[in-house]
Structure formats: structure tokens, C-alpha cells
Amino acid sequence: MKIFIDADACPVKDEIRDLAKKYGLPMTFVASYNHYSVHLPAGEVWIFVDTDKESADMRILNLAKSGDIVVTQDIGLASMLIAKDVATFSNRGEKYRESEMAMMLDMRYLHAKERRQGKYSKGPRAMSSADNANFLHKLDTFIKARL
């Protein structure tokens, strides 16, 4: 079991690091070159990809295998990973499920359509420390059940 992180805007990197260390799981961060830094933590695997919109998603999709875990906010990527039997979690700790994917993709499409028409919503609320703790708890519970 490996953990892959869609790292460009992931607010729970520290929580993932803690779990990977606790269980001895390899983790790979995938980000665009826009997020490159020479000050990355030692011993971590970071893969940097072109800045094209879907580059990080495609790299994760190609790397993740059945039984792996991916943390992403991208519903489209999540839907493709679920089809590969990859456990996929949001940054709030919600496990994406096949039974909910059609509705989530429809909502994503409708929101994109509204944005193209100039209608903007507030977007998701900011992450809180309680959200981070919830993410940690849910992913920890999932990993424990798998080991």
C-alpha cells in the first residue's frame, strides 16, 4: 500500500506524513513545477510535472495501483481512481465512493457551467483544525483496517 498526494493545494500534508511514518508506508507527492522548492523535506519523494491543468492528475492516475491510497480534491481524478480500486480521500477525510460519483460529477459540471455564465458561489469553507483532525482520524482508521 502506497500513499499518493495531489500536492498542489493539499492542506493536510503534515497529517499524511504522520500516518505514513506511523505505519511505514511509502508516500509520493505529485505537484506542478509551479510548486517546486529546493527546501523540500529530506527523504520524501516528490514528482514534479508540467503546469498543464491535468498533468498531476494523469501522473497520479498512472502511478496508483489497486490497494493504494490517493488524497485529492479533484472529483474527476477520484472517479478514475475508484475504477482502478484505489482508495481515494478528500482533504476533509471523506472517502470517495462509486455510488456517489455520478452525482458529484454532475454537480461539478453544473457549477462549471454556472461559472462560465458569470455566476460564482462562495466555494468550500476554509479548513479548520477540526477538519484536519477529522481527516487524520478517518485515514488512520482506514489504514488500520487494511493492515
Side-chain angles (χ1 to χ4, degrees), residues 86-102:
V86 175
T88 310
F89 287 84
S90 75
N91 62 350
R92 295 183 189 272
E94 299 305 318
K95 187 171 186 292
Y96 293 106
R97 301 186 190 295
E98 179 70 35
S99 61
E100 300 165 344
M101 258 316 119

Side-chain angles (χ1 to χ4, degrees), residues 105-128:
L105 290 167
D106 285 345
M107 292 300 294
R108 182 182 77 158
Y109 169 76
L110 291 173
H111 289 152
K113 188 175 175 181
E114 287 176 352
R115 284 190 300 276
R116 285 191 301 274
Q117 296 171 352
K119 300 174 188 167
Y120 295 93
S121 62
K122 286 184 175 181
R125 63 178 169 70
M127 290 283 289
S128 68

Side-chain angles (χ1 to χ4, degrees), residues 1 36 56 74 83 89 91 112 126:
M1 181 185 323
Y36 178 78
D74 188 302
F89 287 84
N91 62 350

Side-chain angles (χ1 to χ4, degrees), residues 32-59:
S32 73
Y33 285 116
N34 287 341
H35 294 89
Y36 178 78
S37 170
V38 294
H39 303 291
L40 297 172
E44 288 186 357
V45 176
W46 281 78
I47 297 174
F48 291 96
V49 297
D50 289 337
T51 57
D52 295 339
K53 187 175 185 223
E54 307 299 331
S55 293
D57 297 348
M58 294 309 297
R59 181 62 63 93

Side-chain angles (χ1 to χ4, degrees), residues 15 18-20 22-23 25 69 89 93 133-147:
E15 289 78 3
D18 292 345
L19 288 174
K22 177 180 177 179
Y23 292 107
L25 297 174
I69 298 169
F89 287 84
N134 182 57
F135 171 85
L136 184 63
H137 171 72
K138 287 187 175 182
L139 192 56
D140 186 40
T141 301
F142 178 82
I143 292 171
K144 266 193 260 188
R146 286 280 181 103
L147 295 178

